[in-house]
Amino acid sequence: MTFMSSIWRAGIALPVATSALFVQPAQAQSANGQASANINQSVTVVKNADLEFGTFVPGTVRSVFRLNPNNGNLNQRNGDAVAIGGAPAPASFTATGTPLLRVRITSGQNRIFIVRDGGTETMRVNRFRFDGPRNRFLNAAGEATYRVGGQIRVRPNQAPGTYRGAFNVTIDYF
């Protein structure tokens, strides 16, 4: 029976082996894919208002004043200088771009020095603060407005005059 069993197995194996020689490849199938990209308009930034600390009478020691970007209040942190008016107000910037996208504001400087017109005397402005989170979404019209406050240091016996300087902000998508 062993001999018959081997013949029987060989008889089955032979057709399987020969049919493998005549197997036709499966027909190739293809499909198309799509490629896409979104292009957002660039963010533009417009300055609406400058950062204005107001008018001071210097004291005998260094004095520090902080302008709140949320409400425009000027608060004296220390020293004996006196704020005597003017129109303290935060700076204001409006970003315009693709509606509902997320933007971020950053300030390139931690501090700047403003210089007296016609002179070399300086005052330090630092601790720039925003009126809310740095990261915001542009509204349905594609706009977001940021207000920026900061801190100013009035030196003892600071020379009288108008002091000016510039700071920058960057607003971009992220």
Side-chain angles (χ1 to χ4, degrees), residues 137-170:
F137 289 94
L138 297 179
N139 63 21
E143 296 180 344
T145 298
Y146 291 87
R147 291 188 313 234
V148 182
Q151 182 172 279
I152 189 167
R153 295 172 188 255
V154 180
R155 290 188 176 139
N157 304 309
Q158 188 83 46
T162 300
Y163 289 73
R164 300 175 202 272
F167 70 97
N168 68 4
V169 295
T170 302

Side-chain angles (χ1 to χ4, degrees), residues 10 22 31-32 38-39 46 51 53 60 73 87 90 100 118-119 136-137 139 141 147 150 164-165 168:
F22 299 108
N32 292 326
N38 292 321
I39 305 295
V46 174
L51 178 57
F53 286 100
T60 58
N73 290 341
L100 307 178
R136 300 184 188 178
F137 289 94
N139 63 21
R147 291 188 313 234
R164 300 175 202 272
N168 68 4

Side-chain angles (χ1 to χ4, degrees), residues 33-46:
Q34 298 290 323
S36 65
N38 292 321
I39 305 295
N40 292 326
Q41 69 185 49
S42 61
V43 176
T44 59
V45 181
V46 174

Side-chain angles (χ1 to χ4, degrees), residues 39-89:
I39 305 295
N40 292 326
Q41 69 185 49
S42 61
V43 176
T44 59
V45 181
V46 174
K47 176 186 71 170
N48 306 316
D50 287 319
L51 178 57
E52 177 60 54
F53 286 100
T55 305
F56 303 92
V57 173
T60 58
V61 297
R62 181 190 73 179
S63 302
V64 177
F65 294 85
R66 186 173 294 164
L67 184 70
N68 185 320
N70 294 307
N71 57 24
N73 290 341
L74 184 68
N75 299 307
Q76 188 164 1
R77 308 284 293 162
N78 60 40
D80 63 351
V82 178
I84 60 168

